[in-house]
Amino acid sequence: MILALSVLSTASVIVERQNGGRVVPTGACCVANTSVKQDTCTTATGAAGRCVPGGNACGGSLSCVATANLECDAAIIERGKSLCRTKVAGGFIDGANVITSLSQAKVN
């Protein structure tokens, strides 16, 4: 039992460090005015994901999108991690825009 709690505690600390101490969002949307692009999140179905611009109906908040639905480019760094965007027919979602290459993404 103690070992199980230790493993859970360690995993939680690792995820928090990935987000620079910010809360790890769970659900379709990331935390408004708190989460930043590329933060680690957990989707409503429990899948690991990232906070990205667009993908879910979240108003002005970033969307929590499962890793399986993202395209990432390790050569482009955003917020200290590889840049990822949601895959859609014909390209990738970058906020309100659909882009055809990750090199076209607005990086900040």
Side-chain angles (χ1 to χ4, degrees):
M1 174 104 170
I2 292 173
L3 180 60
L5 289 175
S6 175
V7 170
L8 287 175
S9 177
T10 301
S12 176
V13 169
I14 290 170
V15 170
E16 280 187 27
R17 284 186 191 150
Q18 290 177 346
N19 285 353
R22 292 177 298 281
V23 67
V24 177
T26 300
C29 302
C30 295
V31 181
N33 302 317
T34 302
S35 297
V36 297
K37 291 179 186 177
Q38 309 311 328
D39 269 358
T40 300
C41 63
T42 304
T43 68
T45 61
R50 293 234 192 136
C51 296
V52 294
N56 299 320
C58 295
S61 298
L62 296 169
S63 297
C64 179
V65 177
T67 304
N69 297 327
L70 295 173
E71 182 74 25
C72 301
D73 185 340
I76 304 172
I77 303 301
E78 181 172 58
R79 303 284 182 163
K81 298 180 183 174
S82 58
L83 176 122
C84 297
R85 293 294 187 265
T86 306
K87 295 184 270 188
V88 294
F92 315 100
I93 298 176
D94 189 41
N97 302 313
V98 174
I99 57 176
T100 56
S101 169
L102 290 178
S103 65
Q104 298 168 324
K106 181 179 177 188
V107 178
N108 60 3

